Amino acid sequence: NAGVTQTPKFQVLKTGQSMTLQCAQDMNHEYMSWYRQDPGMGLRLIHYSVGAGITDQGEVPNGYNVSRSTTEDFPLRLLSAAPSQTSVYFCASGPLSLGNTIYFGEGSWLTVV
Amino acid sequence: AQRVTQPEKLLSVFKGAPVELKCNYSYSGSPELFWYVQYSRQRLQLLLRHISRESIKGFTADLNKGETSFHLKKPFAQEEDSAMYYCALSFSSNTGKLIFGQGTTLQVKP
């Protein structure tokens, strides 16, 4: 049971480049989400999904796209990277129920130069 | 809008001293509250949640609806408690969405 797996772990991008952060979970969780972690800002929700084919915006969605074609996968796309997107990105998943635990990936460190 | 506030960025205590990490939330309904912890070079993990009313690693947290607070407490800090602590709020069973505070770094000195 791998839990939540994120790739890549580290990435350096040039401004304007595009890339996709991959997230996969093997726990059959309905809920999946992406957060970014910045010093002094805590964890901020970018996008989330409550099932295949359903996505919604979080607190800081601008500059990011997501899709959920399967229950297992929830990729995060940066279409045109900006230095302000330099951050640590966390994918998380959990059962769709109030009060249930969500499980995090190990994080992806992204630097945009 | 729903919000979680952790007023302290850094809390530094000596080993054996009591610890209280503050968390306040804004939400008019009945929230579910959590504390997550991130130890050095490890992924974020659940420490405890209000709904379970449990004590984990000596930590407890009580929901005070009047003060809209969910402070995390431990009577005697240990060096291995040094970590980043996040308070989080879940307010909708339909979405499972979790909102986090800014985080507090706990540093326990020997």
Side-chain angles (χ1 to χ4, degrees):
Chain A
N1 189 338
V4 180
T5 304
Q6 288 180 235
T7 55
K9 192 156 186 175
F10 300 98
Q11 183 72 51
V12 179
L13 281 180
K14 292 184 179 177
T15 298
Q17 283 185 320
S18 63
M19 78 157 298
T20 299
L21 297 175
Q22 302 290 346
C23 176
Q25 52 94 6
D26 59 2
M27 297 172 281
N28 203 32
H29 287 157
E30 302 100 328
Y31 175 77
M32 294 188 74
S33 56
W34 278 101
Y35 291 87
R36 58 177 291 173
Q37 183 184 42
D38 302 289
M41 306 292 288
L43 285 161
R44 291 180 294 170
L45 183 64
I46 304 171
H47 285 286
Y48 66 99
S49 168
V50 297
I54 306 169
T55 64
D56 206 349
Q57 296 181 350
E59 303 166 80
V60 289
N62 292 340
Y64 307 94
N65 280 352
V66 292
S67 60
R68 185 95 180 268
S69 56
T70 66
T71 300
E72 295 78 19
D73 300 299
F74 191 47
L76 179 72
R77 296 184 186 84
L78 285 72
L79 296 178
S80 180
S84 60
Q85 294 178 302
T86 293
S87 187
V88 184
Y89 292 85
F90 288 96
C91 181
S93 75
L96 194 64
S97 177
L98 191 66
N100 272 342
T101 305
I102 67 168
Y103 299 86
F104 283 84
E106 292 185 302
S108 296
W109 276 253
L110 176 66
T111 301
V112 183
V113 297
Chain B
Q2 301 80 15
R3 181 176 292 176
V4 177
T5 303
Q6 294 178 248
E8 303 140 328
K9 284 187 180 179
L10 172 65
L11 183 62
S12 186
V13 301
F14 285 101
K15 176 182 173 182
V19 169
E20 183 179 50
L21 288 85
K22 297 189 188 304
C23 172
N24 289 92
Y25 66 92
S26 59
Y27 176 57
S28 57
S30 294
E32 287 300 332
L33 288 145
F34 306 79
W35 278 97
Y36 279 79
V37 62
Q38 187 177 27
Y39 300 104
S40 179
R41 290 185 291 278
Q42 294 186 26
R43 65 180 76 193
L44 270 149
Q45 58 187 286
L46 178 70
L47 178 62
L48 57 79
R49 49 185 174 170
H50 157 247
I51 197 170
S52 302
R53 302 186 185 280
E54 56 205 342
S55 173
I56 303 293
K57 298 184 179 182
F59 285 98
T60 59
D62 291 318
L63 177 61
N64 185 323
K65 290 188 176 181
E67 295 183 358
T68 59
S69 68
F70 189 58
H71 303 327
L72 183 68
K73 300 177 184 178
K74 184 169 183 176
F76 308 104
Q78 303 299 314
E79 288 181 69
E80 55 265 31
D81 296 328
S82 296
M84 173 74 87
Y85 291 80
Y86 287 98
C87 183
L89 164 71
S90 176
F91 54 90
S92 169
S93 60
N94 291 330
T95 68
K97 205 161 79 168
L98 205 60
I99 301 296
F100 285 83
Q102 301 91 327
T104 299
T105 298
L106 174 63
Q107 184 182 72
V108 181
K109 296 178 285 189

